[in-house]
Amino acid sequence: MLGLLAGAGHEIVPEEQADLVLVNTCSFIGDATSESVRTILELAGSGKKIVVTGCLAQRHQADLWDSLPEVAAFLGTADFDRIVEVVRRVEGGERCNAVTPLPLVGAPVLNKDLPRLFTSLGPSAYLKIAEGCDHSCSFCIIPQMRGRYVSRERPAILREARQLAAAGVKELVLIAEDTTRYGQKETGKFRLAALLHDLAEVDGIDWIRILYAYPNYMTQELLEAVRDVPKVVKYLDMPLQHTHPDVLRAMRRPRHEPPDELVARMRATVPGLVIRTTLIMGFPGETPGHVDHVLEFLSRERLEHVGAFAYSPEQGTPAADLKPTVPKRERNRRRRLVMELQQEVSRTLHEGLVGKTLDCLIEAIDVKTGEALGRTYRDAPEIDGTTYVTGEPAALPGEIVPVRITRTGPYDLHGEFVPDPQADGPRSSSGRARPRQDS
Ligand code: SF4
């Protein structure tokens, strides 16, 4: 949307200076919905024109049309390419509802060549490879907001990847509601592995990272591509949501191999693989035995990153009516148990990195301390930790350089630049270290 607006001659400015504010919303859980509405209400008295886009608009526009008369336009999740037209109408004094009721059926918008304008991720950029979801997890509202699963066409993805590389992006972070299913619905074959090979050919891109890899489509071919394609970082984000089969059944998660076996297969295929998962604690019917099952799994498998959430019932989902519920305080306690255990696991795993040299993508320089801030392949942008780097020769944002780890905590790493990069590994032709990742 920013790219389209800039291309149409609009100036993108900080909110305080704007005549029109675009509020791009989330509505995945109650808290996100409240935050989105709060943001809109805060802007309501400002005299600025307000355009609300994204999931809140998609999900609640029928209610919000009357209750938020301050909003000049609503734009649905599959309607973002109409932003210039909508802004023009709003500037002309019109109030408009541009929400297509069934998002992304056929999703022609996904395959359009749209310009991108970057905001905050520095040398990394998200690259959407599919949209929507055909699963029906009982706690999840996403399919109702994003529509049925549809893969983007490969040429459109590659064109965008080249566009990102030309803009200086070094790391592509592949996203979708379900990345591992890429291509299967349209062609009958899982195509993510082939896409990784294609993306690795894009000049200028050094790292490719996969988020939201659904556990029941974790094909051997994909794991081998993660192992064999040098630019693909040895990192997989795989949301399990729970480990106990009873709870997984109540969550209506599609069947997949038992989590222990799956993790063992992943680790056996991809040496050095870093695994992130997310878990929901306190789902209706979850017993203390189910909680122990999760804790024992985490102690045994020692995943590198875990995000745990207390279950929050979502209106309009089947789980919202399930009984018996777990009291909110207990849901939070169970979440805390998971996070405390995981902190210890992460702390120990990080301690094992001290003295090792890892490639680090420099993202920014702290002007106060002079420290470089970056990430190794072990950490995804925005969700995992930061690596703080000191010493000479300093590197610039966007460079991937070897860093020796000197100190660690449960989430972040501290290290120093390796003085002579040649001593620790060859540099890429562009002057950046090759994605060797770990030594
Ligand atoms: S896989 Fe389940 S949790 Fe993920 S988006 Fe689809 S329905 Fe929601």
Side-chain angles (χ1 to χ4, degrees):
M1 286 187 286
L2 294 182
L4 286 168
L5 287 168
H10 293 280
E11 195 185 346
I12 312 299
V13 293
E15 180 198 311
E16 318 74 69
Q17 301 164 22
D19 305 315
L20 180 147
V21 183
L22 192 63
V23 187
N24 193 21
T25 58
C26 178
S27 188
F28 175 42
I29 53 173
D31 284 353
T33 303
S34 308
E35 190 183 329
S36 297
V37 171
R38 206 167 42 243
T39 304
I40 296 166
L41 291 175
E42 280 166 13
L43 286 165
S46 68
K48 301 174 193 296
K49 293 195 163 61
I50 304 169
V51 175
V52 176
T53 74
C55 288
L56 181 81
Q58 188 69 44
R59 190 177 170 194
H60 293 299
Q61 41 91 18
D63 303 329
L64 298 180
W65 183 260
D66 290 331
S67 61
L68 288 175
E70 300 88 349
V71 175
F74 292 98
L75 199 69
T77 52
D79 303 295
F80 52 87
D81 60 328
R82 295 176 59 195
I83 186 67
V84 173
E85 167 217 325
V86 165
V87 166
R88 192 180 58 242
R89 286 165 58 188
V90 166
E91 284 178 323
E94 213 181 310
R95 188 172 188 228
C96 43
N97 182 347
V99 179
T100 305
L102 282 174
L104 299 180
V105 177
V109 66
L110 280 184
N111 296 311
K112 282 187 180 171
D113 281 331
L114 300 174
R116 276 188 68 164
L117 192 138
F118 300 107
T119 45
S120 59
L121 269 184
S124 301
Y126 294 118
L127 178 58
K128 180 167 277 197
I129 63 169
E131 177 69 272
C133 182
D134 288 347
H135 297 305
S136 46
C137 303
S138 59
F139 55 83
C140 180
I141 198 78
I142 285 179
Q144 294 179 49
M145 296 188 297
R146 315 295 300 194
R148 309 286 291 171
Y149 192 85
V150 57
S151 307
R152 283 183 76 189
E153 290 165 10
R154 177 181 153 278
I157 296 173
L158 290 175
R159 280 196 300 271
E160 187 169 351
R162 283 188 212 104
Q163 190 192 341
L164 292 167
V169 166
K170 301 290 180 254
E171 179 186 34
L172 298 176
V173 183
L174 308 190
I175 53 166
E177 269 68 39
D178 172 357
T179 49
T180 34
R181 196 185 177 195
Y182 176 72
Q184 189 270 340
K185 186 169 177 180
E186 293 77 12
T187 68
K189 290 192 180 140
F190 294 102
R191 297 278 185 194
L192 181 55
L195 184 67
L196 293 177
H197 285 278
D198 290 341
L199 287 170
E201 297 295 316
V202 176
D203 284 340
I205 296 299
D206 287 330
W207 283 1
I208 303 166
R209 186 183 298 276
I210 304 169
L211 300 187
Y212 312 118
Y214 202 80
N216 66 336
Y217 303 133
M218 195 64 72
T219 64
Q220 200 56 22
E221 188 193 9
L222 170 62
L223 292 174
E224 285 165 12
V226 173
R227 179 191 64 199
D228 297 337
V229 180
K231 286 185 180 178
V232 178
V233 293
K234 308 322 173 214
Y235 174 108
L236 277 168
D237 163 57
M238 176 182 67
L240 286 169
Q241 310 303 8
H242 211 278
T243 60
H244 197 285
D246 292 349
V247 182
L248 289 169
R249 209 170 300 118
M251 288 177 163
R252 296 194 197 164
R253 298 285 284 172
R255 288 170 68 90
H256 55 76
E257 59 202 297
D260 295 82
E261 290 174 27
L262 179 54
V263 169
R265 184 166 66 86
M266 292 164 71
R267 293 218 191 274
T269 310
V270 190
L273 182 67
V274 165
I275 302 176
R276 154 173 276 279
T277 198
T278 40
L279 298 164
I280 298 173
M281 301 307 295
F283 192 75
E286 186 191 63
T287 64
H290 296 146
V291 178
D292 288 344
H293 194 273
V294 171
L295 297 175
E296 284 160 19
F297 169 84
L298 293 176
S299 304
R300 211 169 37 242
E301 299 302 332
R302 297 161 62 79
L303 305 185
E304 285 75 7
H305 300 290
V306 174
F309 299 86
Y311 169 70
S312 90
E314 210 36 54
Q315 214 186 354
T317 62
D321 299 322
L322 283 181
K323 302 271 184 304
T325 56
V326 178
K328 191 169 184 189
R329 181 188 289 252
E330 177 61 12
R331 283 182 251 153
N332 287 328
R333 190 187 75 84
R334 293 178 184 185
R335 174 192 170 272
R336 263 198 318 278
L337 281 179
V338 168
M339 292 312 288
E340 282 165 13
L341 169 64
Q342 182 58 32
Q343 269 202 357
E344 267 323 293
V345 172
S346 297
R347 191 189 306 277
T348 315
L349 291 174
H350 274 178
E351 281 167 7
L353 298 174
V354 173
K356 290 196 169 189
T357 299
L358 274 67
D359 284 347
C360 184
L361 172 59
I362 304 300
E363 296 179 296
I365 307 293
D366 185 326
V367 285
K368 283 197 195 127
T369 64
E371 268 182 326
L373 277 56
R375 282 176 296 105
T376 74
Y377 82 101
R378 304 175 62 89
D379 293 305
E382 301 195 298
I383 46 175
D384 296 327
T386 298
T387 302
Y388 297 88
V389 198
T390 54
E392 294 293 333
L396 294 173
E399 290 186 321
I400 298 177
V401 291
V403 167
R404 184 170 296 121
I405 306 302
T406 53
R407 192 158 57 84
T408 62
Y411 300 115
D412 297 328
L413 303 174
H414 297 261
E416 55 195 15
F417 292 113
V418 175
D420 177 9
Q422 296 295 340
D424 277 70
R427 309 280 288 188
S428 69
S429 56
S430 59
R432 296 176 299 275
R434 284 212 308 243
R436 175 202 55 220
Q437 303 180 17
D438 191 357
S439 64

